[in-house]
């Protein structure tokens, strides 16, 4: 059974940093693409970053490029997201997600395809004040 538990969110001022973490159950974690999504009130879910099983391929949304770093530890079944220089528009609920099945590493960035990434946790709230 897939279980994902996010943590690390909080309230910070613009320009600050946060490190999000996602603890996963051992569902074959090391074989799956993983991703961070966020959702602000009244807005659609947005992919923030993805990472391939072996960490060779990382994708970042335009909003996160240069500021966010996604990482994973396949030995500890954890996914991380280091967020620097946070902006008020980064405010939202952040979720980690696992791909729906095993895909080739180069396809981990295909976040817009229907049925791909599945959120299973409660999320962690990030609030950035100006």
């Amino acid at each position: 059974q897939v279980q994902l538990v996010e943590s690390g969110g909080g309230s910070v001022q613009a320009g600050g940093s946060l490190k999000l973490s996602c603890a996963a159950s051992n569902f074959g974690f090391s074989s799956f693409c993983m991703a961070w999504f966020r959702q602000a009130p009244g807005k659609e879910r947005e992919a923030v970053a993805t990472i391939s099983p072996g960490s060779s391929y990382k994708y970042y949304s335009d909003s996160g490029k240069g500021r966010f770093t996604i990482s994973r530890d396949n030995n500890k079944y954890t996914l991380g997201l280091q967020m620097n220089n946070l902006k008020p528009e980064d405010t939202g609920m952040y979720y980690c997600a696992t791909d729906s099945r095993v895909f080739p590493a180069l396809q981990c960035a295909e976040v817009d395809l229907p049925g791909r990434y599945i959120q299973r946790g409660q999320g962690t709230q990030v609030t950035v004040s100006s």
Side-chain angles (χ1 to χ4, degrees):
Q1 184 178 1
V2 180
Q3 293 182 326
L4 302 173
V5 179
E6 301 93 341
S7 62
S11 297
V12 297
Q13 290 190 326
S17 298
L18 283 173
K19 174 71 180 291
L20 305 185
S21 296
C22 174
S25 58
N26 183 13
F27 60 89
F29 178 84
S30 61
S31 298
F32 284 78
C33 305
M34 295 294 295
W36 283 99
F37 287 81
R38 69 185 180 191
Q39 189 163 20
K43 295 188 177 181
E44 293 186 355
R45 186 182 81 160
E46 174 192 9
V48 173
T50 70
I51 188 168
S52 61
S55 302
S56 296
Y57 300 99
K58 299 177 183 178
Y59 157 86
Y60 297 97
S61 64
D62 287 342
S63 60
K65 282 179 184 175
R67 300 188 298 125
F68 295 176
T69 302
I70 190 170
S71 62
R72 66 189 295 163
D73 186 331
N74 287 339
N75 293 319
K76 297 181 179 178
Y77 312 134
T78 58
L79 180 72
L81 184 68
Q82 177 67 45
M83 304 188 296
N84 298 326
N85 191 22
L86 283 162
K87 304 176 180 179
E89 51 264 42
D90 294 319
T91 294
M93 189 70 79
Y94 283 69
Y95 302 89
C96 64
T98 178
D99 214 336
S100 55
R101 62 178 178 87
V102 175
F103 279 88
L106 284 172
Q107 296 182 20
C108 291
E110 297 174 347
V111 294
D112 293 328
L113 291 181
R116 284 298 297 270
Y117 288 94
I118 302 171
Q119 298 166 196
R120 303 181 187 274
Q122 297 299 311
T124 186
Q125 176 68 35
V126 172
T127 302
V128 184
S129 58
S130 58

Short mmCIF file of all heavy atoms in Angstrom, two decimals, residues 12-16 38 40-41 43 67 85-92 94 125-130:
data_model
loop_
_atom_site.label_atom_id
_atom_site.label_comp_id
_atom_site.label_asym_id
_atom_site.label_seq_id
_atom_site.Cartn_x
_atom_site.Cartn_y
_atom_site.Cartn_z
N VAL A 12 6.67 31.73 6.26
CA VAL A 12 7.93 32.45 6.14
C VAL A 12 7.70 33.77 5.42
O VAL A 12 6.66 33.94 4.75
CB VAL A 12 9.00 31.65 5.37
CG1 VAL A 12 9.35 30.37 6.10
CG2 VAL A 12 8.55 31.36 3.95
N GLN A 13 8.63 34.65 5.54
CA GLN A 13 8.57 35.90 4.80
C GLN A 13 9.21 35.71 3.43
O GLN A 13 10.01 34.79 3.21
CB GLN A 13 9.29 37.00 5.56
CG GLN A 13 8.58 37.44 6.83
CD GLN A 13 9.19 38.70 7.43
OE1 GLN A 13 10.38 38.91 7.36
NE2 GLN A 13 8.34 39.53 8.02
N ALA A 14 8.82 36.56 2.52
CA ALA A 14 9.39 36.52 1.18
C ALA A 14 10.91 36.57 1.25
O ALA A 14 11.47 37.33 2.05
CB ALA A 14 8.86 37.69 0.35
N GLY A 15 11.54 35.73 0.45
CA GLY A 15 12.99 35.63 0.47
C GLY A 15 13.51 34.52 1.36
O GLY A 15 14.69 34.18 1.31
N GLY A 16 12.64 33.96 2.16
CA GLY A 16 13.03 32.89 3.07
C GLY A 16 13.10 31.54 2.38
O GLY A 16 12.87 31.41 1.17
N ARG A 38 1.61 21.55 -6.05
CA ARG A 38 1.05 22.50 -5.10
C ARG A 38 -0.30 22.97 -5.62
O ARG A 38 -0.58 22.91 -6.81
CB ARG A 38 1.98 23.69 -4.89
CG ARG A 38 2.12 24.63 -6.09
CD ARG A 38 3.15 25.71 -5.81
NE ARG A 38 3.31 26.62 -6.91
CZ ARG A 38 4.29 27.51 -7.00
NH1 ARG A 38 5.21 27.59 -6.03
NH2 ARG A 38 4.35 28.34 -8.04
N ALA A 40 -3.00 26.23 -4.75
CA ALA A 40 -3.42 27.42 -4.02
C ALA A 40 -4.95 27.49 -4.04
O ALA A 40 -5.58 26.93 -4.94
CB ALA A 40 -2.82 28.66 -4.67
N PRO A 41 -5.53 28.15 -3.07
CA PRO A 41 -7.00 28.25 -3.03
C PRO A 41 -7.55 28.82 -4.32
O PRO A 41 -7.07 29.85 -4.82
CB PRO A 41 -7.25 29.20 -1.86
CG PRO A 41 -6.07 29.03 -0.97
CD PRO A 41 -4.91 28.80 -1.90
N LYS A 43 -7.25 27.67 -7.25
CA LYS A 43 -6.43 27.40 -8.42
C LYS A 43 -6.28 25.90 -8.65
O LYS A 43 -6.49 25.10 -7.74
CB LYS A 43 -5.05 28.05 -8.27
CG LYS A 43 -5.09 29.57 -8.23
CD LYS A 43 -3.69 30.16 -8.28
CE LYS A 43 -3.72 31.67 -8.32
NZ LYS A 43 -2.37 32.26 -8.38
N ARG A 67 15.19 28.21 -8.07
CA ARG A 67 14.88 28.44 -6.64
C ARG A 67 14.60 27.15 -5.89
O ARG A 67 14.88 27.06 -4.70
CB ARG A 67 13.66 29.35 -6.52
CG ARG A 67 13.84 30.72 -7.15
CD ARG A 67 12.66 31.64 -6.81
NE ARG A 67 11.40 31.12 -7.32
CZ ARG A 67 10.32 30.92 -6.57
NH1 ARG A 67 10.36 31.18 -5.27
NH2 ARG A 67 9.21 30.47 -7.10
N ASN A 85 14.45 31.52 -1.67
CA ASN A 85 13.95 32.78 -2.21
C ASN A 85 12.44 32.71 -2.46
O ASN A 85 11.95 33.02 -3.54
CB ASN A 85 14.67 33.13 -3.51
CG ASN A 85 14.39 34.53 -3.99
OD1 ASN A 85 13.99 35.40 -3.19
ND2 ASN A 85 14.56 34.77 -5.28
N LEU A 86 11.73 32.30 -1.45
CA LEU A 86 10.29 32.10 -1.58
C LEU A 86 9.56 33.41 -1.85
O LEU A 86 9.97 34.48 -1.36
CB LEU A 86 9.74 31.43 -0.34
CG LEU A 86 10.04 29.92 -0.26
CD1 LEU A 86 9.87 29.40 1.16
CD2 LEU A 86 9.14 29.15 -1.22
N LYS A 87 8.49 33.30 -2.61
CA LYS A 87 7.69 34.46 -2.99
C LYS A 87 6.25 34.24 -2.52
O LYS A 87 5.82 33.10 -2.36
CB LYS A 87 7.71 34.62 -4.51
CG LYS A 87 9.10 34.73 -5.11
CD LYS A 87 9.04 34.78 -6.63
CE LYS A 87 10.44 34.89 -7.23
NZ LYS A 87 10.40 34.92 -8.71
N PRO A 88 5.50 35.30 -2.35
CA PRO A 88 4.10 35.14 -1.92
C PRO A 88 3.30 34.22 -2.84
O PRO A 88 2.43 33.49 -2.37
CB PRO A 88 3.57 36.58 -1.95
CG PRO A 88 4.77 37.41 -1.65
CD PRO A 88 5.92 36.71 -2.36
N GLU A 89 3.62 34.23 -4.11
CA GLU A 89 2.89 33.37 -5.05
C GLU A 89 3.24 31.89 -4.89
O GLU A 89 2.61 31.04 -5.52
CB GLU A 89 3.14 33.82 -6.50
CG GLU A 89 4.59 33.99 -6.88
CD GLU A 89 5.07 35.43 -6.76
OE1 GLU A 89 4.70 36.11 -5.77
OE2 GLU A 89 5.81 35.87 -7.66
N ASP A 90 4.20 31.57 -4.05
CA ASP A 90 4.49 30.17 -3.75
C ASP A 90 3.55 29.61 -2.68
O ASP A 90 3.59 28.42 -2.38
CB ASP A 90 5.94 30.02 -3.26
CG ASP A 90 6.96 30.33 -4.33
OD1 ASP A 90 6.76 29.93 -5.49
OD2 ASP A 90 7.98 30.98 -4.00
N THR A 91 2.73 30.45 -2.12
CA THR A 91 1.80 30.02 -1.08
C THR A 91 0.84 28.96 -1.61
O THR A 91 0.30 29.11 -2.70
CB THR A 91 1.01 31.23 -0.55
OG1 THR A 91 1.92 32.11 0.11
CG2 THR A 91 -0.09 30.80 0.41
N GLY A 92 0.64 27.92 -0.81
CA GLY A 92 -0.29 26.87 -1.22
C GLY A 92 -0.05 25.61 -0.41
O GLY A 92 0.85 25.55 0.43
N TYR A 94 1.27 21.92 -0.46
CA TYR A 94 2.23 21.16 -1.24
C TYR A 94 2.06 19.66 -0.97
O TYR A 94 1.95 19.23 0.18
CB TYR A 94 3.65 21.60 -0.89
CG TYR A 94 4.04 22.92 -1.53
CD1 TYR A 94 3.44 24.11 -1.12
CD2 TYR A 94 4.97 22.97 -2.56
CE1 TYR A 94 3.77 25.32 -1.72
CE2 TYR A 94 5.32 24.17 -3.16
CZ TYR A 94 4.72 25.34 -2.73
OH TYR A 94 5.05 26.53 -3.33
N GLN A 125 1.26 22.76 4.34
CA GLN A 125 0.93 24.13 3.95
C GLN A 125 2.17 25.02 3.96
O GLN A 125 2.94 25.02 4.92
CB GLN A 125 -0.13 24.72 4.89
CG GLN A 125 -0.48 26.17 4.62
CD GLN A 125 -1.22 26.36 3.30
OE1 GLN A 125 -2.02 25.52 2.89
NE2 GLN A 125 -0.95 27.47 2.63
N VAL A 126 2.32 25.77 2.89
CA VAL A 126 3.38 26.78 2.79
C VAL A 126 2.73 28.13 2.63
O VAL A 126 1.90 28.32 1.73
CB VAL A 126 4.31 26.49 1.60
CG1 VAL A 126 5.29 27.64 1.38
CG2 VAL A 126 5.07 25.19 1.82
N THR A 127 3.09 29.05 3.50
CA THR A 127 2.55 30.40 3.44
C THR A 127 3.71 31.39 3.41
O THR A 127 4.54 31.38 4.32
CB THR A 127 1.65 30.70 4.63
OG1 THR A 127 0.58 29.74 4.67
CG2 THR A 127 1.04 32.10 4.52
N VAL A 128 3.74 32.21 2.38
CA VAL A 128 4.82 33.19 2.22
C VAL A 128 4.20 34.58 2.27
O VAL A 128 3.34 34.91 1.46
CB VAL A 128 5.58 32.98 0.91
CG1 VAL A 128 6.76 33.95 0.82
CG2 VAL A 128 6.05 31.54 0.77
N SER A 129 4.65 35.36 3.20
CA SER A 129 4.12 36.72 3.35
C SER A 129 5.10 37.73 2.76
O SER A 129 6.31 37.53 2.77
CB SER A 129 3.86 37.03 4.81
OG SER A 129 5.05 36.88 5.57
N SER A 130 4.53 38.80 2.29
CA SER A 130 5.37 39.84 1.64
C SER A 130 5.89 40.84 2.66
O SER A 130 5.48 40.86 3.79
CB SER A 130 4.56 40.55 0.57
OG SER A 130 3.40 41.13 1.14
#
